[in-house]
Amino acid sequence: MASLVPLERRRATLEGLRAALSAEHRAASPEAFTLAEEGVVRSGLGTLDAALGGGFPRGVVATLEGPPGSGRSAVAARLLASATAGGGLGALIESPAGAEGSFFPPALAAAGVDLGRLLVVHAPDAAGVARGADILMRSAAFGVVVIPAVVLRAVVWTRLAGLTHRANAVLVAVGAVASDELRYFASLRVRLQPSHVRFAGESGPFCTLAGVGVEAAILKHKRAAPGRRAQFSCATFECAGAPLGALRERTLEPAHADRLRARSGI
Amino acid sequence: MPTVCALVPAYKVAVARLGTAALRERALIVADRLERGHVLALDEAAYALGAREGMTLVQAAACAREAAIAVDDPVRGRALWERALDALDAASPLVEDAGDGCAFLEMRGIAGSAQEWLARVRAAFASDPELARLPLHVALAPNKFVARAAALVRDQNIVHPSEERAFVAPLPLRFLELDRATIERLELFGVTNLRTLAALPHGPFVRRFGPQAARWHALAGGIDGTPLVPRARRLTIDRSLYGEGTAEREDQLLFALRTLVGFVAEDIALLGKRCGALRLHLECEDGECIVLATVLAQPTAQPGTMFDLLRARLEGTILRSPVTGLRLAAERLEEGGAELSLFAGRDPDPEIVGIALARLEAALGPHATLRARVVPGNRFESRVAYEPFTAAEVARSTRAALAPAAPRDSQTGTLAYRMLARRAIEVRLNAGRPISVDARAVLEVAGPWRADEAWWTTALETGGHPIQNDAYDVLLDDGALIRIINDHATWYLCGSYD
């Protein structure tokens, strides 16, 4: 006949087990939330990659959201640099006549993009962007495809997400704000915001724009822990690596951040 | 081995003059392009005025103000020379194409005297009325180098065997087609013509100037042992398919196309070749004939690849009436297989890239797929050039093992710059510096950077547009970083940092 274990003792055992599990889980979580090297495209920005669990995961639609000047194009350029390194191909779909304009190739080259292996597609409208992304993803020959965060129907995003998964590539949508459909189908959402702007030289004719400080927040991540934050800085392509002397920082005050949010709809 | 050289001196100049009668009486400079162009070729009159090959167009125009300027058309020049080579085939069974404007013909075994050979070559060349208007020089010599030198010296020149050394001896060093630096080095040693070069001791000369100097030394003595290389024949496979009815639906057309591609692929395989380009003619019921030309990234004989590429091309084609016939020509037939890399790594398949490019062009237009290139320039807009993105370049470009490595981890990225469609903006100034842009307050201003370009175009009347503006980088109160320019008192937004 089995002896009955007192209730208090059973409760204490259960609490002990819970505590042990919790401690084990906490100890295991850094590794558990780190993606395998071959499963990610690294941006090369240490803090951002760490916050993402290693980099941008392959096979997903990702968004880089933020107002102009927030460094979203800089992150996209780093991803294209990673894609074109080692003999791969990257693609950039843009609408030069649109509000976002077109990337400046010398700045891409300064960010490490091999322009010889970067396909630039000029699409006239959102439908053209979708068709271009569809064709590129169907070919599965491009490791990273950067597109503007245009408004498309859910069925289009479904198809693009499926093709991206099959191609094991990263489809990066860059824009001020993501549409509801894009927010739903994106597996990774990164919001970027400038924290300060750096200038070299005193205010006046000899002043030069040196770069910006960026705060990134992981809004959504289906393969790692969301909610993390990262800070990094971006230098202008003409000042990168150049001796600039003393830098002046112009911190963007909360009022600026409010205006940014109002403009970008975040 | 008696060799005739058929030479059109200053071929690019001659082709440019052929197209425009007004240029015949004027000194002429041929440039690669008008904007930031360089001199490719020029005639003696322009040379006498001070212009030189390799000069920028601005320099040349400043030296030779009276000279006319023409833009080179390499496609037309090549096509014309191909016709010339075809015509010269009538004069000799062995014709070597030595580049635009120069051909060598082997006359061994052909009946007739030296004068008759030259007359025969001239007559063959002049059989085409357009070619007859080109200034042709013909010369006969025992080898290619001496024949070309003889043709350059004068028309109808004949150098007999054993006279080669004496003929080339007084010629200047430029006949060896050396670069300017080498000629200057040789002139420092007192070597100004081929006689003095041939008199140099062979061993020390080769040790001093490298292995290529052995060939210069031989040429200076009138010795050129290089054989004539026959001109490659251009093969084309052309098949057509006409059914009893018409193809009205897409599946019918694709079925017919698949069948036709199969025939062409068989022909290519029978020849043991690979095809580098395809040209499809769609003959419609209303008499319209649509031509779709496509280039394969890597020459192939695979029907599947050819069909996929043609189908991708068809995706962007609108057919207004049923198709009655198809004609498919395989062009650029090449021998040999595709180059494979032992260290391919992530190298993309050029055929897949080629099909994707064809689909993109079909969907978005012929100039939608581009490769960006950085070019020297002062203004941001002038630092960018775009060219068509071709899959063949992907196949030829750096292999994975040699490609640049991924960027290293760092805490600093590179801020991108976005070129925006130029639009006028309202800017308020205080003491000459912007304080608001479209009612948004300016927090900080960097600049100005002045661009003052092409001011000389007005004076020289070369058709350019002078550019004078001031650019500012501006931080607005909402955090936006933009670049604005002041162009003749009007302010424009031209880009943003992102």
Side-chain angles (χ1 to χ4, degrees):
Chain A
M1 184 177 168
S3 62
L4 289 172
V5 180
L7 185 63
E8 290 76 18
R9 195 173 160 193
R10 279 192 285 166
R11 277 187 181 152
T13 309
L14 188 61
E15 286 302 318
L17 275 171
R18 273 186 182 160
L21 272 172
S22 175
E24 194 176 336
H25 176 72
R26 272 201 298 272
S29 49
E31 288 77 26
F33 288 128
T34 301
L35 302 170
E37 182 75 24
E38 63 275 11
V40 296
V41 177
R42 297 171 66 82
S43 70
L45 296 163
T47 52
L48 181 61
D49 284 340
L52 291 167
F56 284 69
R58 290 185 182 275
V60 304
V61 177
T63 66
L64 293 171
E65 302 168 34
S70 61
R72 56 201 178 148
S73 301
V75 178
R78 295 292 292 223
L79 291 173
L80 288 170
S82 286
T84 55
L89 286 176
L92 175 62
I93 303 177
E94 56 191 13
S95 303
E100 297 282 356
S102 55
F103 278 76
F104 187 51
L108 291 175
V113 180
D114 180 357
L115 294 178
R117 307 187 76 84
L118 176 71
L119 169 65
V120 180
V121 180
H122 284 174
D125 49 19
V129 170
R131 282 197 82 177
D134 183 300
I135 291 166
L136 292 174
M137 282 302 167
R138 237 190 312 167
S139 74
F142 298 84
V144 172
V145 178
V146 174
I147 63 171
V150 288
V151 178
L152 298 170
R153 288 184 302 151
V155 66
V156 179
W157 284 118
T158 312
R159 180 175 169 75
L160 288 178
L163 288 170
T164 306
H165 181 68
R166 275 203 314 210
N168 198 30
V170 187
L171 180 64
V172 186
V174 181
V177 62
S179 64
D180 290 344
E181 292 84 358
L182 178 54
R183 287 181 197 191
Y184 180 78
F185 285 101
S187 299
L188 172 64
R189 289 180 59 207
V190 180
R191 188 184 71 199
L192 299 139
Q193 202 166 300
S195 56
H196 57 266
V197 182
R198 286 200 190 95
F199 290 91
E202 286 305 312
S203 184
F206 301 108
C207 172
T208 306
L209 173 63
V212 297
V214 179
E215 286 179 2
I218 316 300
L219 300 181
K220 178 181 178 184
H221 200 331
K222 281 192 174 177
R223 298 198 191 168
R228 293 184 178 178
R229 289 177 175 273
Q231 288 188 335
F232 57 91
S233 58
C234 293
T236 52
F237 64 96
E238 291 192 307
C239 294
L244 295 172
L247 295 179
R248 253 177 334 108
E249 279 193 6
R250 180 104 194 194
T251 306
L252 293 173
E253 295 164 11
H256 302 144
D258 292 343
R259 288 194 197 101
L260 283 171
R261 287 195 192 94
R263 269 180 59 199
S264 62
I266 299 170
Chain B
M1 182 175 62
T3 303
V4 170
C5 177
L7 179 80
V8 179
Y11 180 72
K12 288 183 186 298
V13 174
V15 171
R17 282 217 167 98
L18 212 56
T20 313
L23 298 178
R24 283 182 200 144
E25 304 304 322
R26 293 183 64 186
L28 185 61
I29 293 170
V30 178
D32 50 355
R33 57 181 188 270
L34 282 179
E35 187 75 18
R36 292 178 177 275
H38 288 79
V39 177
L40 295 179
L42 68 170
D43 64 358
E44 287 177 2
Y47 189 90
L49 289 169
R52 296 288 183 273
E53 270 185 38
M55 275 183 170
T56 65
L57 204 50
V58 175
Q59 290 171 328
C63 293
R65 285 169 182 268
E66 298 84 3
I69 296 170
V71 178
D72 182 35
D73 185 352
V75 177
R76 179 167 179 260
R78 188 63 220 169
L80 195 64
W81 190 245
E82 286 288 341
R83 275 166 52 195
L85 293 169
D86 289 341
L88 290 173
D89 275 344
S92 168
L94 179 49
V95 179
E96 176 180 330
D97 175 17
D100 286 357
C102 184
F104 295 108
L105 296 88
E106 188 184 300
M107 306 309 286
R108 186 174 50 178
I110 296 176
S113 64
Q115 281 81 5
E116 285 170 348
W117 286 342
L118 294 182
R120 195 172 297 159
V121 171
R122 184 175 292 283
F125 192 85
S127 60
D128 186 316
E130 196 174 11
L131 293 172
R133 288 157 52 203
L134 289 173
L136 178 71
H137 284 200
V138 287
L140 177 72
N143 61 52
K144 290 198 292 186
F145 173 70
V146 179
R148 188 171 184 281
L152 277 170
V153 169
R154 69 176 172 85
D155 190 17
Q156 298 286 349
N157 211 344
I158 297 173
V159 181
H160 295 288
S162 78
E163 292 177 358
E164 306 99 307
R165 190 182 180 93
F167 173 76
V168 300
L171 299 179
L173 292 176
R174 64 183 167 84
F175 275 72
L176 290 176
E177 296 186 333
L178 305 178
D179 58 273
R180 186 178 295 182
T182 308
I183 289 178
E184 284 172 1
R185 279 180 70 198
L186 287 166
E187 283 173 349
L188 283 175
F189 293 111
V191 178
T192 52
N193 58 26
L194 300 190
R195 177 185 290 114
T196 47
L197 178 59
L200 291 174
H202 183 273
F205 177 60
V206 173
R207 279 198 292 279
R208 182 75 179 251
F209 284 90
Q212 72 275 18
R215 177 168 162 75
W216 306 340
H217 200 266
L219 294 179
I223 303 164
D224 182 8
T226 53
L228 267 71
V229 181
R231 187 159 70 103
R233 298 284 163 192
R234 187 181 293 170
L235 280 172
T236 305
I237 293 174
D238 200 334
R239 294 285 291 246
S240 55
L241 190 70
Y242 292 89
E244 290 181 356
T246 56
E248 295 174 4
R249 298 195 313 272
E250 186 186 352
D251 58 328
Q252 291 173 329
L253 180 62
L254 291 180
F255 178 78
L257 181 61
R258 192 187 290 275
T259 310
L260 184 60
V261 167
F263 292 157
V264 169
E266 270 181 25
D267 287 351
I268 296 170
L270 280 172
L271 279 175
K273 303 276 183 186
R274 286 162 195 274
C275 159
L278 293 166
R279 186 177 293 272
L280 176 67
H281 296 252
L282 297 165
E283 293 176 20
C284 299
E285 205 172 48
D286 61 357
E288 188 183 15
C289 183
I290 295 167
V291 182
L292 300 174
T294 185
V295 177
L296 284 96
Q298 279 188 339
T300 184
Q302 293 293 323
T305 305
M306 290 192 271
F307 176 71
D308 282 347
L309 200 54
L310 288 170
R311 189 167 66 172
R313 282 272 171 208
L314 272 172
E315 280 175 10
T317 308
I318 297 168
L319 300 169
R320 292 183 182 79
S321 63
V323 176
T324 56
L326 296 172
R327 188 174 146 204
L328 180 61
E331 297 171 348
R332 297 192 203 169
L333 298 183
E334 297 177 10
E335 305 226 20
E339 180 194 357
L340 292 176
S341 170
L342 286 174
F343 310 102
R346 287 157 54 200
D347 278 1
D349 185 344
E351 287 183 358
I352 291 174
V353 176
I355 291 168
L357 292 176
R359 287 207 168 105
L360 282 169
E361 289 184 2
L364 302 173
H367 305 297
T369 55
L370 303 164
R371 172 183 278 116
R373 197 158 48 85
V374 179
V375 293
N378 294 321
R379 290 173 297 118
F380 276 19
E381 307 88 86
S382 61
R383 292 190 207 171
V384 186
Y386 289 100
E387 56 197 29
F389 192 98
T390 55
E393 285 296 322
V394 173
R396 276 198 293 272
S397 61
T398 318
R399 294 284 176 189
L402 303 172
R408 289 182 185 168
D409 274 5
S410 73
Q411 297 307 320
T412 307
T414 306
L415 201 59
Y417 178 75
R418 297 263 198 160
M419 295 181 290
L420 302 173
R422 197 169 164 175
R423 69 175 173 87
I425 50 175
E426 189 184 339
V427 176
R428 285 177 54 217
L429 303 175
N430 183 12
R433 298 185 65 78
I435 55 168
S436 81
V437 174
D438 278 349
R440 284 143 72 187
V442 170
L443 298 183
E444 196 82 41
V445 182
W449 292 277
R450 170 154 292 189
D452 197 353
E453 288 184 13
W455 47 267
W456 55 85
T457 54
T458 310
L460 297 177
E461 297 174 358
T462 53
H465 298 287
I467 293 166
Q468 190 178 46
N469 59 45
D470 291 329
Y472 295 82
D473 288 332
V474 173
L475 170 65
L476 299 180
D477 65 345
D478 57 4
L481 280 165
I482 58 173
R483 174 162 275 225
I484 57 176
I485 59 169
N486 181 8
D487 191 350
H488 294 95
T490 307
W491 289 85
Y492 296 95
L493 171 67
C494 59
S496 74
Y497 290 92
D498 189 14

